[in-house]
Each structure stands twice: as C-alpha cells, then as structure tokens.
C-alpha cells in the first residue's frame, strides 16, 4: 500500500511538469516544419529538445514501474505506455516520437479527476489538431502529387478529417499521410464519443440528484401530512370530550 501511495504521489507531482515538457516538445517539433528554411543549428537544437523531452517521459515510466508493487501487472495494464516508450527506440522517426508523446500525455491526462475531464478532452482535440496538421504537412509538402502545401491547408485538412466531414478539397497522397488520416479519423470519433458520454453522464447525474431531492421533499410532505392528520384527530377528540354533558347532581343511573 505504501508503494502504491508513493506511485500515486509521484504521478500527481510530475503530471504538470510533464505536460509543460509536452508543450516544449510541441514547439520543438513545430519550428522546423513551419520554418522550412531553418538552419542546421536550429534543426539540431529542436531534435535534441525532442529527444530530451522524450527521455523525461521514458524516465517517468521507469520510475513508475520501479515504484509499482506488482511490476508485471503494471506492464500489463500500462502496455500503451510501454509501446509508446519502445517504438521510437526501435525506429527513431520523428513521427513515431510525435505519436508516442501524444499517447503518454493522454495516458497521464486520464489520471486527472472527473471534474477536469472536459478540459483534458478539449486539450486533446487542440493537440491532435495541431500535431496532425504539422505531421501531415511534413510528409505531404514535398510530395509531387500533394495538395497540402501550407500550414493553413494542413489545419483545414486536419479539422475536416477529425470531424469526419471530408470535403475532399485537400487529401494526403503519400502512404504515411493516409496513415495519419486514419489516425485522425479514429481519434475524432473516439473524442466525440468521450464528449457525448461525459455530457450524458452529467445529465444523468443531474437528473438523479434532482430525483433524490424530489423524493426527499415528497417524503417530508407526506410526514408533515401525517402529523397534521394526527393533530386534527387529537383536536377533534379533545373537542368531543369538552362538549360532552356533565351528569346532574344527585341523579343516579340505574
């Protein structure tokens, strides 16, 4: 139990710093893509920053694994975290680092309280929208047959893809771009399901709360009604007893 408590404390203390590092990762990932004329020094600095942030996420996973009292169970229940840590090591592609970082941030975000779920879902939508735009721009900009050439085109395409509208005015032509499209579509559907479920759960909880309050008030009214009836019965009995004729003096009953 103490080991589990230590793991929980570690997760609570590192959640915000890791989210801040994720923002740093986003900036380092975006700069070379948005600024295609960036020099080698800036590109190398951004790459080093990406791997540094990635190392922080990997270290966080190893620390949580070490703090877990049941390591096999931890690996089994956190297999997405493990996959996100291992994939970029096996094949160090910038796109895999991007996907893995999103996975880890999402896993840590789900540890937040239910009250903050909507905020994290909104952040996930914005994050996927921007990361998807940058990723598709990086793989489609130099494609001979591609029609996603600017950041504006990429953002528009990501938005229509996540909402599963798909106007068709912009579409990926490379294999990696189509993989990104599938991922964005599935993510959009999943996030829409989470939002819908969260709203439905809020309404259900609200209705249940109102129903409980209504039942409580109804029971109070019924108790009050019974008390009024009992008081009326007592008053009626006292009234009858007070109005009964008293026997005449000396009169005896036979």
């Amino acid at each position: 139990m103490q080991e589990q408590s230590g793991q929980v404390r570690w997760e609570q203390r590192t959640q915000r710093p890791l989210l801040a590092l994720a923002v740093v990762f986003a900036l380092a990932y975006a700069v070379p893509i948005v600024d295609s004329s960036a020099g080698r020094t800036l590109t190398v600095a951004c790459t080093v920053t990406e791997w540094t942030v990635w190392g922080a996420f990997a270290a966080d996973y190893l620390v949580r694994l070490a703090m877990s009292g049941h390591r096999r169970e931890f690996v089994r229940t956190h297999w997405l975290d493990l996959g996100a840590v291992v994939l970029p090591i096996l094949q160090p592609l910038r796109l895999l680092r991007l996907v893995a970082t999103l996975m880890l941030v999402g896993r840590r975000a789900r540890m937040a309280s239910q009250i903050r779920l909507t905020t994290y879902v909104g952040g996930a939508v914005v994050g996927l929208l921007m990361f998807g735009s940058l990723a598709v721009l990086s793989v489609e900009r130099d494609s001979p047959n591609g029609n996603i050439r600017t950041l504006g085109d990429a953002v528009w395409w990501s938005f229509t893809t996540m909402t599963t509208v798909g106007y068709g005015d912009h579409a990926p032509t490379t294999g990696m771009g189509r993989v990104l499209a599938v991922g964005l579509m599935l993510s959009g559907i999943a996030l829409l399901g989470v939002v819908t479920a969260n709203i439905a759960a809020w309404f259900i909880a609200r209705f249940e709360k109102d129903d409980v309050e209504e039942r409580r008030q109804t029971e109070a009214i019924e108790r009050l009604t019974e008390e009024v009836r009992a008081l009326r019965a007592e008053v009626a009995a006292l009234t009858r007893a007070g109005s009964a004729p008293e026997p005449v003096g000396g009169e005896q009953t036979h």
Side-chain angles (χ1 to χ4, degrees):
M1 183 63 66
Q2 292 179 351
E3 293 178 349
Q4 185 178 3
S5 299
Q7 180 186 347
V8 171
R9 288 195 301 270
W10 170 266
E11 292 171 349
Q12 291 175 347
R13 291 174 181 174
T14 58
Q15 180 174 334
R16 290 185 179 180
L18 288 178
L19 289 176
L21 287 177
V23 174
V24 174
F25 176 90
L27 294 175
Y29 179 81
V31 167
I33 297 176
V34 175
D35 186 9
S36 57
S37 60
R40 178 177 177 79
T41 303
L42 180 60
T43 303
V44 171
C46 290
T47 302
V48 171
T49 301
E50 290 177 21
W51 279 110
T52 301
V53 173
W54 175 250
F57 277 100
D60 171 71
Y61 177 83
L62 294 177
V63 170
R64 287 189 290 144
L65 176 63
M67 289 183 174
S68 176
H70 305 280
R71 296 182 180 179
R72 291 185 179 180
E73 182 68 16
F74 180 86
V75 173
R76 187 182 66 82
T77 56
H78 295 74
W79 60 272
L80 280 176
D81 298 52
L82 179 61
V85 169
V86 172
L87 279 177
I89 297 177
L90 297 178
Q91 191 176 1
L93 297 177
R94 300 179 74 234
L95 181 58
L96 286 180
R97 295 203 298 275
L98 163 65
V99 174
T101 302
L102 286 176
M103 289 170 59
L104 287 175
V105 171
R107 293 285 291 179
R108 295 306 300 271
R110 284 196 295 272
M111 295 175 186
S113 62
Q114 187 68 23
I115 300 176
R116 300 165 63 187
L117 177 61
T118 304
T119 302
Y120 282 108
V121 170
V125 171
V126 175
L128 284 172
L129 181 65
M130 296 308 301
F131 275 114
S133 302
L134 294 170
V136 76
L137 181 61
S138 66
V139 298
E140 291 290 327
R141 180 164 49 193
D142 297 328
S143 176
N145 300 322
N147 56 7
I148 302 177
R149 302 294 186 183
T150 65
L151 182 61
D153 295 338
V155 172
W156 172 250
W157 171 83
S158 296
F159 189 83
T160 57
T161 301
M162 283 191 65
T163 55
T164 65
V165 174
Y167 288 112
D169 51 348
H170 294 286
T173 58
T174 63
M176 185 58 69
R178 291 170 180 171
V179 170
L180 285 171
V182 173
L184 278 180
M185 285 185 284
L186 295 178
S187 300
I189 295 172
L191 288 173
L192 179 61
V194 170
V195 172
T196 303
N198 192 34
I199 294 175
W202 183 84
F203 275 110
I204 292 174
R206 182 73 179 181
F207 291 151
E208 289 180 350
K209 182 179 179 180
D210 293 342
D211 188 43
V212 170
E213 181 66 20
E214 184 178 354
R215 286 200 301 266
R216 188 185 67 81
Q217 293 178 357
T218 301
E219 292 174 356
I221 292 173
E222 290 178 352
R223 289 194 300 267
L224 183 60
T225 302
E226 292 296 329
E227 292 177 0
V228 171
R229 289 175 181 173
L231 288 174
R232 285 180 177 178
E234 292 179 3
V235 170
L238 292 173
T239 302
R240 286 194 299 269
S243 61
E246 297 181 359
V248 180
E251 183 180 356
Q252 295 182 354
T253 59
H254 297 282

